[in-house]
Amino acid sequence: MTRASLNKQPHEVASMFDDVAERYDLTNDVLSLGQDRVWRKAVAKAVDARPAQKILDLAAGTATSSLPFSRTGAYVVPCDFSLGMLQVGKRKHPWLPLTAGDATRLPFKDDTFDAVTISFGLRNVQDFDAGLREMYRVTKPGGRVVICEFSHPTWAPFRTVYTEYLMRALPPVARAVSSNPEAYVYLAESIRAWPDQPALAERLQKAGWSKVAWRNLTGGVVALHRGFKES
């Protein structure tokens, strides 16, 4: 079993996701109690992909997250650093241009995409500030970034219950449905260690993004952050 640590060495994290690739979508559905589908719809609405626009979907995994953008007629590039995830995605969605890439060194030219989005993946980037700067680099002037990430529930009593679920309930559930339950212990720990909503907004601004705002989903369990690259 592969167990990544919170120092997020890229080879450890990639190997961990290789291990869980086959049942990743099913496991997410179970662990989120089906909420992941609601969150994906919110991301699609925030990205607002249009026909012929170029969309970069980072940490796309098996490319399930890329499908809503593809359906709009946009040209979407699913990108991930886990080859295992990409192989499963290519089997499921052979028409999509799945691309291997590291979020801190993206294999794309400057000013390429109308929108860049990443769902539940920024937390796993070793230097996520470098990742935010790379997203800015490859976005066209006037383009946008949308980040969907686990965050901090806003209501204190619920926050306590949620933290208990992460550390106590999540691992045994993961053991029942995942091919690598240890990976989900790491995921729970990384969620707890992640910056809250205002702190992430500040990091986006420091990376160059303007008009940064966020919206809480499921009481702040997840937050959507959006920013723009000035024209």
Side-chain angles (χ1 to χ4, degrees):
M1 292 296 181
T2 303
R3 168 75 161 85
S5 59
L6 288 182
N7 66 7
K8 302 174 190 172
Q9 293 299 320
H11 65 280
E12 290 180 354
V13 180
S15 179
M16 181 191 76
F17 279 105
D18 290 346
D19 285 350
V20 301
E22 287 292 346
R23 303 182 72 184
Y24 183 72
D25 293 326
L26 169 65
T27 305
N28 284 349
D29 210 27
V30 171
L31 293 179
S32 71
L33 308 177
Q35 285 294 297
D36 59 320
R37 300 177 192 181
V38 175
W39 299 333
R40 275 200 296 273
K41 287 180 181 177
V43 170
K45 188 173 181 181
V47 170
D48 192 25
R50 305 290 175 86
Q53 286 190 336
K54 292 181 179 178
I55 312 295
L56 175 60
D57 185 18
L58 287 175
T62 61
T64 298
S65 61
S66 304
L67 296 178
F69 311 125
S70 180
R71 292 188 193 111
T72 68
Y75 177 77
V76 57
V77 178
C79 182
D80 202 286
F81 70 168
S82 165
L83 295 180
M85 286 284 205
L86 293 171
Q87 286 165 356
V88 173
K90 198 64 179 175
R91 211 164 58 232
K92 290 182 175 180
H93 318 296
W95 66 91
L96 289 174
L98 286 95
T99 303
D102 182 339
T104 64
R105 294 186 300 275
L106 292 172
F108 308 107
K109 293 180 180 178
D110 296 358
D111 306 334
T112 298
F113 296 97
D114 296 283
V116 177
T117 183
I118 183 168
S119 294
F120 310 110
L122 189 60
R123 198 181 68 256
N124 301 314
V125 177
Q126 185 179 33
D127 183 354
F128 78 84
D129 289 308
L132 293 175
R133 291 192 297 270
E134 273 291 271
M135 293 177 211
Y136 186 87
R137 179 184 67 78
V138 302
T139 300
K140 293 177 181 178
R144 58 219 181 266
V145 67
V146 174
I147 296 168
C148 181
E149 189 51 88
F150 288 110
S151 198
H152 295 247
T154 52
W155 189 46
F158 176 58
R159 188 161 60 239
T160 302
V161 171
Y162 173 65
T163 303
E164 289 296 306
Y165 167 75
L166 279 177
M167 299 314 297
R168 295 191 182 186
L170 190 148
V173 173
R175 276 194 289 274
V177 295
S178 172
S179 52
N180 182 358
E182 284 296 302
Y184 287 87
V185 177
Y186 155 78
L187 291 175
E189 291 174 351
S190 67
I191 290 167
R192 286 208 309 179
W194 187 245
D196 65 10
Q197 291 89 323
L200 181 56
E202 185 178 346
R203 305 286 271 271
L204 274 159
Q205 289 166 340
K206 285 182 178 178
W209 298 98
S210 62
K211 300 178 186 174
V212 174
W214 73 84
R215 181 162 70 93
N216 291 313
L217 304 176
T218 318
V221 167
V222 165
L224 276 184
H225 283 70
R226 186 168 66 178
F228 292 87
K229 183 172 179 175
E230 290 187 352
S231 302

